[in-house]
Amino acid sequence: MKVAFVGKGGSGKTTLAALFVRHLGGQGLPVLAIDADINQHLTVAFGGDADAPRVRPLAEHLPAIKDYLRGANPRIVSADRMVKTTPPGRGSRLLRVVEDNPIYAACVREVGGVRLAVTGEFAAEDLGVACYHSKVGAVELLLNHMLDGPGEYVVVDMTAGADSFASGLFTRFDRTVLVCEPTVRSVGVYRQYAGYTRDYGVALSVVGNKVEDASDVEFLREHVGGDLLTWFGRSGYVRRAERGTVGPLAELEPANQAALAQLVEAVDDTPQDWAAFTRWAHEFHRRNAAAWANERAGADLTDQIDPEFRMGPHAVSEPAVVGG
């Protein structure tokens, strides 16, 4: 299951994403966490040392990632012709949540007991000349080629606000979790998401955060309605974690543990619509090809779409080449 955590900056989406991932990992479930926020904080949220050697960013390995994923796909003549929306086809290499492959070997590290990949920070050399979408493009490619199943999880901490709508990345998830404080500004971000996703069949759940009393819950219900799944109260455990002391998850307040379990249940109950996943992958690739990618490549990149290939449990992957 592919799960995105989104929300207003400061709403607590990174904190809840980290709790969700640690909850899954604590049950021995296969999970891969990806920090796709422009502010890279998941490492610390998992209890990693901020001064420890960094996880090698996906963005720094983008050419190698493209070359690996294209495999023997005859529709992709070279890695240079791949863009963030390039969909898989016959001959492409597909990824499993847990496996040995060169991408994971280079870019996935265990932090606080959690397997983590990161997009990379917005560096000084990017200022004024680069868009952050150039970094999250690696995440979009990975998700396009991710063949995950029930009981397997890829959890992505997205950048704040509605920025993911600048690409088709928002259609790459089985469920999107919007973390919402009981405030007008946070509800405003929810309304943006709900409006943008309405025509795309996005499964959207709102999780309230920093809820103090019944009036906060009532506020969320009034403004979010049936999308409100559950909520987290103010947490001494979280406050200690934000100060650098990440304790065992068993120390999380019982009501917040129950909210985590409810969130996992909602994710597990989400059907994986592989037909829609494939359809939107092709659609957004066509849009990007027409908008900019064809001109940059000097070729019609819509030829990369393999109409006979469908992602799903029966999709066939080119054999992995570890170290290749």
Side-chain angles (χ1 to χ4, degrees):
M1 304 297 284
K2 304 177 187 72
V3 186
F5 277 77
V6 301
K8 182 182 74 66
S11 63
K13 67 178 182 61
T14 297
T15 297
L16 294 195
L19 290 175
F20 182 74
V21 170
R22 292 178 61 214
H23 178 80
L24 295 172
Q27 298 181 59
L29 296 168
V31 57
L32 172 65
I34 302 177
D35 192 344
D37 194 350
I38 193 169
N39 299 306
Q40 305 265 279
H41 294 315
L42 262 185
T43 299
V44 176
F46 289 145
D49 188 345
D51 297 323
R54 65 175 185 156
V55 180
R56 296 167 69 183
L58 294 165
E60 293 183 4
H61 294 265
L62 188 54
I65 289 171
K66 291 178 177 180
D67 194 54
Y68 179 78
L69 292 177
R70 77 184 182 98
N73 186 336
R75 292 177 174 270
I76 305 172
V77 298
S78 71
D80 291 341
R81 289 284 179 90
M82 288 185 77
V83 295
K84 63 183 181 180
T85 55
T86 296
R90 287 168 292 182
S92 295
R93 291 195 181 102
L94 307 180
L95 304 173
R96 300 307 305 237
V97 176
V98 179
E99 66 174 11
D100 292 326
N101 64 56
I103 298 174
Y104 292 172
C107 301
V108 174
R109 294 291 180 269
E110 186 171 303
V111 178
V114 173
R115 295 170 60 245
L116 174 67
V118 304
T119 58
E121 296 179 337
F122 203 64
E125 58 267 24
D126 298 322
L127 297 177
V129 297
C131 172
Y132 193 65
H133 301 116
S134 63
K135 296 184 181 297
V136 297
V139 177
E140 191 164 354
L141 271 174
L142 293 187
L143 294 180
N144 271 349
H145 292 75
M146 184 66 67
L147 192 60
D148 55 305
E152 300 176 317
Y153 306 87
V154 181
V155 182
V156 183
D157 181 26
M158 298 288 288
T159 191
D163 201 48
S164 63
F165 290 100
S167 72
L169 186 56
F170 71 97
T171 66
R172 303 297 81 203
F173 301 99
D174 300 300
R175 182 158 293 275
T176 296
V177 178
L178 190 142
V179 180
C180 189
E181 299 167 279
T183 67
V184 171
R185 289 180 60 197
S186 201
V187 166
V189 172
Y190 158 74
R191 287 176 177 153
Q192 280 185 298
Y193 260 86
Y196 290 151
T197 61
R198 187 173 295 117
D199 296 331
Y200 295 92
V202 172
L204 180 66
S205 291
V206 175
V207 174
N209 194 31
K210 305 177 187 178
V211 170
E212 295 188 352
D213 53 33
S215 67
D216 285 344
V217 176
E218 185 58 33
F219 177 89
L220 289 170
R221 283 186 173 138
E222 176 185 353
H223 293 280
V224 172
D227 284 339
L228 181 63
L229 172 68
T230 188
W231 56 87
F232 288 75
R234 292 280 185 177
S235 171
Y237 175 90
V238 169
R239 189 162 55 250
R240 292 189 297 274
E242 289 176 343
R243 293 173 178 172
T245 303
V246 179
L249 204 54
E251 296 177 1
L252 183 67
E253 298 81 5
N256 290 334
Q257 289 194 39
L260 268 181
Q262 190 174 353
L263 179 53
V264 172
E265 183 178 359
V267 169
D268 287 345
D269 287 344
T270 306
Q272 286 187 290
D273 189 342
W274 287 107
F277 185 87
T278 300
R279 182 174 68 254
W280 288 122
H282 292 177
E283 173 62 20
F284 278 97
H285 187 57
R286 291 188 188 97
R287 293 186 191 183
N288 278 266
W292 60 272
N294 285 348
E295 182 177 359
R296 180 177 297 182
D300 182 4
L301 296 189
T302 61
D303 288 343
Q304 295 177 342
I305 296 173
D306 184 346
E308 302 301 321
F309 181 85
R310 293 291 183 271
M311 283 291 284
H314 304 296
V316 177
S317 174
E318 180 76 6
V321 178
V322 179

